Amino acid sequence: MENVLKKLFVVLLLCLVQSAVCHADTFKGKIVNAETGEILIGATIRSEINPQPGWSMQNQAETDSTGCFFLNASWEGRIMFTFSMIGYKNARKVDYAYGKEVNDTTDLGIIKLQPTALMLKDVEVTAKMPRITMSGDTIVFNPEAFKLKEGARLDELIKKLPGVENRDGKLYWNNKPIRLMMNGKNLFGGDQIIGQLPAEVAGKLKLYDRKSELARHTGKDEGDEDHVLDIQVKPGFLDKWYGNVEAQYQTKKRYMFNVTASKLSDHDPQMVYAQANNANRYIDRTMNSSMNANIDGDGKSQYGSYNYQHNWQTKGADKFDNNSFDISANMGHSDGWNTIGKSTETFFPNQERTFAVSESYRYKHKITPQMQARLFAYTDSLNTISVNVKATYEKIRNTDEYKGASYGYEPNQFEYHSLSAALAAKPGDALYERLITRNRNYQSSEQQTRGINIDYTWKHFLGKKGSFSLQGYTNINGANEDTHINRNLEYLREKRSETVWQYYDRSNHNLSTRLGASFDYWFGKKVYVNILDNVTYSRTRTTRDFFTDNNEQNVVGGTPTTLDPTNAMSYLMHKWTNQLTLKSTITPVKALMIMPKFSWNVYRENTDYRYGPLDTTAVRTSQTYEPSIFLKWKMSRMRNMDLSFAYTTTVPDLISTLGYRNTIDPLAISTGNPLLRNSHRHTTTYNYHRMWLRKQIVMGLSASYIKDINPVATLYRYNSSTGVYESKPMNVKGGDMWKFGFNYDQGLGVYFRLMNKFALLTSKSYGFLTIVDNVDPNAIPDLNLQKRLGIDENMEFSYEAEKVQLTLFNRLQWNRYRYEDTSYNTSPLYNSAGIEATLHLSPFELYIRLSDDYRSGYATSAMNGHKLMSQASISYGFCKNKCRLSLYVDDIFNKDIWYESDYSAYQRSESSINYIHHYANLRFTYTFDAKAKKNK
């Protein structure tokens, strides 16, 4: 009897302990008729909660005989309630649940439902499959639970997954990039292939953290992990081809055609891609990368690639990464051209200044075939090998035309003049009297580059303690270049002009090889150490033969024949580098991570260098020390901060420290500086992150301080009679920069969101004012202090529903530059405010974006003022959504130009760059899918 009582007491104690620890956050409320106020019995309350970014759980309850309800939430996260009853409109409410760790009751108050005509109609009741389930630590998405249009692509399904977002073509979960896998293997083609596959291929989608290879061997997490979205393919969909064909017509007389086909397979996936267009797009797709970008301001291209992979497993190593062999061959061709306008003001000390205007036209023809092969394999369960071989060839033909002029002005009489006015000015004109130089240049060149790169790694795992690896690479490349230049120069103050024909051929051959070792080791469970040592050797040989003629009689077929010894150049460079790096991760307590790092770099360089009359041998040995530390402190689930410090050293290129003199461009001469020293920088950064979960608020604060020591600037010498500039790199007095950031993101109920990113920057830097008419090479120039105050803000207010997405936005960039001479002061401003909207009315989809872009404070008058910018599109899907017809219109109100500006302590420049604008694009897309075989 005594034993029975003891056992009963133990059971009772366990029950009490269980009830004590199993808390749950409880929500209560009351539902009534909004019109009459009567209680509603049997109304349904459904909750959807997000315990973590990327997944959700659902629960439901009903109101009792008093119209009241109680609903428990055992998980922590943002929770959305839906209140419904037959004959009434649904209502929603958003809150936050604290889960099992909090035993609290939240009163949602009285919920009022509006009655509708549905009270008198039959209502179809259907079962709903849960979107999310859990299997251990793995989140499992059920594709059948998501509403998709017929023929939807896999990327459309992935975009609907809670917590998964697409940023510029890259998938993210919990603000970290996602690694795509298929049936536990790396997805061949990566992010770019999911737009080709139909959504129905996915049986399940699993989201989990995949530890590093080292962590999977040691069982200890050193912090290196991937966020993986693993696509589980349904039976019958593997070893089949998928893809699409696309054709476009764009005004005026522009076209684009591309075809993409991929074979989905566990063992032998393949991918084929081809495209041709004259719509200024260069698109390539290979087994591990893709690019879709403008060629230039205008252009055309053709591209094709074939990619193949073979996967297998090594016996005893199947729980680690799979073995794979990849091979890829591709060929690209492009032609691009553009016209660029630029204005440049160079700062002088208290005297006449110059303002230069120019316009250049460039054309580039490029062919780039390449082949690549990769191997990764486990030889057994503890050893891996990795080899990557890449062979490249590139041929480029360039044609450049340049027109420019410079003129002087008094500080209080500045007036901007266009290039056309400067070139058209004649003797007697007021502008002509102020002109210093005018020049027209024509340049053509042809370059060929060949290379082969091999990198390799062997890694051995030391059981549960760590790993040891040997790695290295060998790169061999060579380049040849032939360039013709024709210069027409006018020195107006000296009342003379000249024509110069120039030609040079240049060759470069480089060998670079590295061998290194890395050792990872765990000392207990709280200290991880990595030691890395790399030894690199490189050998570079460069030669350039130069020819110049001022007499056309010596020019044969456009090529000068007189050797110019002042710009002939050759050198042989040997360089040894040893890099030793020691880093660690120390976790004294669970919430704190301390990650110190120290790098010691030793360089030994030896060169035989000849440039014109300069013939020298230079030997340099240098060392740099680069310490850094990173601290991360997670104070609670809703607060964390990190603090970092890094010190870096930049060693100037050895060639730039030699006393050469480059006079290829007679108006812009450049020289080396034997007195050039190392530059240093230290950076301190602080970040703080805070969440108010019930209010759906996320806030981030950041602050950083950067100090530059001996930074490099450009010293200009100016000859006022000829208008010739001579530049030389020099160390200047160091400056600093403070930057403060504030990010705010708040969800306002179910559909609305407010986001604002704000940054404030203040800095000071120094540059040399231009030395005028001084031939003394030892003259000490004046330093000019530049103070900058900058504001950068990006605000968005958006509404997102199933059929409508609407965003109001404003982007502000403002900088105030102040100098010791106040006549240089300027405050350029750019502000873009507008609206972006998308409307889904199946089978149609409409999109529009309107903005007012305003600029002020620029010297180039065309940059200032208001511009109304616009884009709009409409698309129509048919044939079970396998076919889609789209019309897109860009910039229908005005010609748009890209503007760029740069401000330093000794110069400011503004440029305008043309690109394709003001067009209509009509696109047709056909998607072909394989179908799974049906069982008979």
Side-chain angles (χ1 to χ4, degrees):
M1 184 67 180
E2 184 178 355
N3 290 335
V4 174
L5 291 175
K6 287 182 179 179
K7 292 179 180 179
L8 183 60
F9 176 78
V10 171
V11 171
L12 181 61
L13 181 61
L14 289 174
C15 292
L16 290 173
V17 171
Q18 182 72 11
S19 64
V21 298
C22 294
H23 297 310
D25 210 356
T26 301
F27 294 85
K28 70 175 183 177
K30 186 175 184 178
I31 300 180
V32 301
N33 186 315
E35 298 292 337
T36 65
E38 65 177 312
I39 61 172
L40 296 181
I41 303 171
T44 301
I45 304 94
R46 291 186 177 88
S47 68
E48 182 174 323
I49 189 170
N50 302 102
Q52 297 180 23
W55 61 287
S56 62
M57 300 295 291
Q58 297 177 354
N59 196 5
Q60 74 174 43
E62 291 186 355
T63 55
D64 58 21
S65 59
T66 64
C68 297
F69 65 88
F70 291 84
L71 192 145
N72 294 327
S74 300
W75 297 89
E76 181 182 356
R78 177 183 180 273
I79 186 168
M80 182 176 70
F81 297 95
T82 302
F83 310 97
S84 62
M85 188 171 183
I86 295 175
Y88 293 85
K89 294 181 180 179
N90 291 352
R92 291 183 177 178
K93 199 174 185 68
V94 176
D95 212 297
Y96 192 85
Y98 286 95
K100 296 179 180 180
E101 296 187 10
V102 176
N103 186 15
D104 195 9
T105 299
T106 301
D107 190 351
L108 298 178
I110 297 177
I111 312 299
K112 298 179 180 181
L113 299 186
Q114 290 286 347
T116 70
L118 289 177
M119 288 183 178
L120 305 176
K121 296 183 180 181
D122 293 333
V123 178
E124 180 184 1
V125 180
T126 58
K128 184 179 179 182
M129 177 180 292
R131 296 188 302 164
I132 310 293
T133 58
M134 291 290 296
S135 177
D137 292 331
T138 300
I139 304 163
V140 181
F141 298 98
N142 299 300
E144 292 83 358
F146 294 87
K147 293 182 179 180
L148 297 171
K149 60 189 177 185
E150 188 173 1
R153 303 291 91 192
L154 184 58
D155 62 339
E156 296 177 65
L157 170 61
I158 292 175
K159 289 176 183 177
K160 289 182 175 290
L161 303 182
V164 176
E165 58 179 316
N166 189 304
R167 301 179 190 170
D168 300 324
K170 181 68 178 177
L171 295 173
Y172 285 79
W173 175 67
N174 200 17
N175 290 322
K176 296 182 180 179
I178 288 177
R179 173 183 172 187
L180 286 174
M181 303 187 75
M182 186 185 72
N183 295 342
K185 304 178 180 66
N186 288 330
L187 179 62
F188 187 66
D191 293 5
Q192 57 186 318
I193 199 176
I194 60 175
Q196 305 164 28
L197 301 176
E200 61 178 331
V201 305
K204 301 287 183 183
L205 295 112
K206 297 182 178 180
L207 190 61
Y208 53 88
D209 288 332
R210 183 179 176 88
K211 304 300 182 184
S212 67
E213 274 190 284
L214 179 63
R216 294 200 297 276
H217 279 270
T218 63
K220 305 181 184 71
D221 185 9
E222 83 284 7
D224 187 10
E225 61 187 15
D226 291 330
H227 295 288
V228 166
L229 182 62
D230 195 348
I231 303 163
Q232 304 295 297
V233 179
K234 294 176 183 176
F237 282 94
L238 288 175
D239 299 309
K240 294 184 178 181
W241 287 89
Y242 304 84
N244 59 64
V245 179
E246 184 177 274
Q248 298 182 37
Y249 174 78
Q250 180 174 305
T251 56
K252 299 177 179 178
K253 297 182 180 180
R254 298 182 185 274
Y255 65 86
M256 177 179 287
F257 174 81
N258 66 66
V259 57
T260 305
S262 301
K263 183 182 180 182
L264 200 62
S265 176
D266 274 340
H267 301 289
D268 298 286
Q270 302 176 57
M271 184 171 68
V272 179
Y273 177 72
Q275 71 89 12
N277 80 88
N278 68 348
N280 195 38
R281 301 302 295 174
Y282 188 82
I283 308 171
D284 68 20
R285 291 181 178 174
T286 63
M287 58 188 176
N288 61 340
S289 65
S290 66
M291 183 178 71
N292 188 339
N294 283 333
I295 300 170
D296 207 320
D298 203 348
K300 60 182 179 179
S301 71
Q302 302 84 40
Y303 179 87
S305 71
Y306 172 74
N307 309 271
Y308 169 79
Q309 182 181 81
H310 176 64
N311 299 305
W312 77 98
Q313 290 184 333
T314 298
K315 186 177 181 180
D318 52 316
K319 64 180 180 179
F320 304 117
D321 278 345
N322 298 286
N323 305 330
S324 65
F325 172 74
D326 307 335
I327 188 167
S328 173
N330 60 77
M331 170 73 176
H333 160 253
S334 66
D335 294 279
W337 51 92
N338 201 354
T339 300
I340 301 172
K342 187 174 183 179
S343 61
T344 304
E345 182 185 14
T346 304
F347 299 162
F348 292 166
N350 303 316
Q351 55 186 291
E352 183 197 44
R353 305 170 188 174
T354 67
F355 196 88
V357 289
S358 67
E359 182 179 282
S360 60
Y361 170 81
R362 65 190 182 202
Y363 168 81
K364 178 184 287 188
H365 165 82
K366 182 166 68 172
I367 298 176
T368 55
Q370 68 178 27
M371 292 190 67
Q372 185 175 4
R374 301 187 306 179
L375 169 68
F376 176 84
Y378 273 87
T379 58
D380 55 41
S381 62
L382 295 179
N383 294 276
T384 67
I385 57 171
S386 175
V387 181
N388 187 5
V389 181
K390 186 175 183 179
T392 60
Y393 173 79
E394 184 175 80
K395 184 176 182 179
I396 299 176
R397 289 204 308 268
N398 286 297
T399 300
D400 296 275
E401 296 181 39
Y402 176 89
K403 296 181 290 185
S406 66
Y407 55 88
Y409 71 94
E410 295 298 327
N412 58 350
Q413 295 178 343
F414 171 74
E415 181 182 354
Y416 172 77
H417 294 278
S418 67
L419 175 65
S420 59
L423 295 177
K426 297 179 180 180
D429 297 341
L431 178 58
Y432 185 87
E433 301 302 321
R434 292 167 52 190
L435 284 170
I436 303 169
T437 62
R438 293 192 296 203
N439 63 313
R440 294 175 173 88
N441 304 332
Y442 176 84
Q443 178 174 320
S444 64
S445 64
E446 184 171 303
Q447 307 165 27
Q448 295 186 65
T449 304
R450 304 158 296 277
I452 183 167
N453 306 323
I454 306 172
D455 60 75
Y456 35 85
T457 303
W458 166 72
K459 179 174 284 189
H460 174 69
F461 295 96
L462 306 171
K464 300 292 184 181
K465 290 295 185 178
S467 68
F468 174 77
S469 64
L470 295 174
Q471 64 274 337
Y473 68 77
T474 300
N475 299 336
I476 303 173
N477 58 73
N480 299 92
E481 176 185 353
D482 295 316
T483 298
H484 292 80
I485 308 174
N486 184 3
R487 303 181 186 274
N488 295 289
L489 307 169
E490 294 181 85
Y491 301 93
L492 299 175
R493 287 186 172 176
E494 294 189 335
K495 302 186 184 304
R496 67 181 178 91
S497 62
E498 64 176 345
T499 299
V500 181
W501 289 267
Q502 297 175 320
Y503 166 77
Y504 65 86
D505 64 275
R506 181 178 181 270
S507 65
N508 176 272
H509 301 279
N510 178 264
L511 165 68
S512 179
T513 186
R514 169 184 288 179
L515 183 63
S518 178
F519 179 65
D520 302 270
Y521 198 79
W522 277 95
F523 292 92
K525 296 182 178 180
K526 294 189 175 183
V527 179
Y528 161 76
V529 175
N530 170 261
I531 301 175
L532 171 67
D533 187 71
N534 285 320
V535 178
T536 306
Y537 168 74
S538 64
R539 179 184 183 274
T540 303
R541 178 182 289 276
T542 301
T543 61
R544 182 179 69 206
D545 296 322
F546 204 89
F547 299 83
T548 301
D549 273 307
N550 297 87
N551 189 339
E552 191 172 3
Q553 294 181 352
N554 297 328
V555 179
V556 179
T559 302
T561 59
T562 304
L563 185 66
D564 180 2
T566 61
N567 283 301
M569 178 267 291
S570 68
Y571 70 88
L572 176 64
M573 172 79 76
H574 300 270
K575 183 176 181 178
W576 287 91
T577 304
N578 187 83
Q579 180 187 49
L580 177 64
T581 301
L582 174 64
K583 63 180 181 180
S584 178
T585 300
I586 304 170
T587 312
V589 293
K590 186 177 181 180
L592 180 64
M593 296 181 69
I594 305 173
M595 290 167 277
K597 180 180 178 181
F598 180 80
S599 291
W600 175 34
N601 306 293
V602 181
Y603 311 93
R604 178 172 175 79
E605 300 163 276
N606 187 339
T607 184
D608 294 319
Y609 186 79
R610 180 176 65 85
Y611 197 112
L614 176 67
D615 190 351
T616 185
T617 297
V619 179
R620 182 176 71 177
T621 300
S622 54
Q623 301 184 50
T624 63
Y625 308 93
E626 298 185 337
S628 65
I629 189 168
F630 180 77
L631 290 85
K632 186 175 182 179
W633 182 21
K634 187 176 181 180
M635 293 171 277
S636 70
R637 292 173 299 171
M638 292 169 287
R639 290 188 299 155
N640 61 74
M641 58 165 282
D642 60 70
L643 178 67
S644 65
F645 172 84
Y647 181 87
T648 59
T649 298
T650 301
V651 179
D653 180 67
L654 179 60
I655 301 300
S656 67
T657 66
L658 304 178
Y660 70 87
R661 183 178 175 83
N662 183 330
T663 61
I664 293 177
D665 185 346
L667 296 179
I669 299 171
S670 60
T671 65
N673 182 7
L675 301 178
L676 207 58
R677 296 172 293 163
N678 291 354
S679 299
H680 311 273
R681 167 177 285 190
H682 61 77
T683 304
T684 304
T685 304
Y686 171 79
N687 293 290
Y688 175 79
H689 185 260
R690 178 76 162 93
M691 294 185 293
W692 289 268
L693 299 175
R694 286 195 183 277
K695 297 180 180 180
Q696 305 176 67
I697 296 175
V698 178
M699 184 191 73
L701 297 174
S702 63
S704 63
Y705 174 72
I706 298 175
K707 175 66 177 178
D708 288 312
I709 304 169
N710 298 328
V712 176
T714 302
L715 168 63
Y716 284 97
R717 295 179 182 272
Y718 175 69
N719 187 319
S720 63
S721 297
T722 63
V724 174
Y725 284 92
E726 183 174 322
S727 62
K728 178 171 66 174
M730 289 188 68
N731 298 99
V732 296
K733 183 178 180 180
D736 55 19
M737 180 177 70
W738 287 91
K739 187 174 182 179
F740 304 92
F742 173 73
N743 296 338
Y744 183 84
D745 194 328
Q746 181 177 8
L748 303 171
V750 179
Y751 300 110
F752 293 93
R753 179 191 179 197
L754 175 65
M755 184 273 292
N756 191 32
K757 296 181 179 180
F758 176 85
L760 175 67
L761 178 149
T762 177
S763 67
K764 64 178 181 180
S765 60
Y766 293 87
F768 290 114
L769 288 173
T770 303
I771 298 179
V772 182
D773 298 332
N774 188 329
V775 295
D776 181 5
N778 298 315
I780 301 176
D782 296 327
L783 276 177
N784 191 24
L785 171 63
Q786 179 199 67
K787 294 182 179 181
R788 176 188 174 192
L789 176 65
I791 293 176
D792 193 327
E793 183 179 33
N794 187 6
M795 186 276 291
E796 291 184 0
F797 181 68
S798 59
Y799 169 81
E800 295 185 0
E802 183 177 354
K803 293 185 177 181
V804 178
Q805 289 88 46
L806 184 66
T807 301
L808 301 175
F809 61 86
N810 188 79
R811 178 69 190 274
L812 170 68
Q813 291 178 313
W814 175 79
N815 289 282
R816 187 188 72 171
Y817 298 96
R818 293 294 181 263
Y819 303 89
E820 294 178 352
D821 185 341
T822 59
S823 64
Y824 294 123
N825 293 348
T826 184
S827 300
L829 166 71
Y830 168 73
N831 191 82
S832 178
I835 184 171
E836 187 174 48
T838 302
L839 178 63
H840 304 274
L841 296 174
S842 183
F844 293 95
E845 181 176 296
L846 292 89
Y847 168 81
I848 188 169
R849 186 181 192 275
L850 294 172
S851 67
D852 173 64
D853 291 4
Y854 174 72
R855 292 179 176 88
S856 68
Y858 294 90
T860 306
S861 58
M863 295 177 63
N864 296 316
H866 292 272
K867 284 190 177 181
L868 180 62
M869 307 301 301
S870 66
Q871 295 91 37
S873 70
I874 181 172
S875 64
Y876 170 70
F878 55 100
C879 294
K880 298 182 179 180
N881 221 36
K882 288 186 176 182
C883 300
R884 182 161 289 272
L885 191 63
S886 305
L887 176 64
Y888 174 79
V889 181
D890 177 74
D891 189 19
I892 60 177
F893 291 104
N894 57 267
K895 173 181 177 180
D896 188 26
I897 298 176
W898 288 113
Y899 292 109
E900 295 180 353
S901 60
D902 183 58
Y903 297 80
S904 69
Y906 53 90
Q907 195 175 75
R908 65 183 176 191
S909 63
E910 299 168 357
S911 59
S912 59
I913 305 173
N914 294 309
Y915 70 102
I916 292 180
H917 61 279
H918 197 80
Y919 63 83
N921 180 301
L922 184 65
R923 176 185 304 179
F924 172 78
T925 304
Y926 171 73
T927 303
F928 58 89
D929 297 331
K931 294 294 183 181
K933 294 182 179 179
K934 295 183 179 180
N935 297 326
K936 296 182 179 179

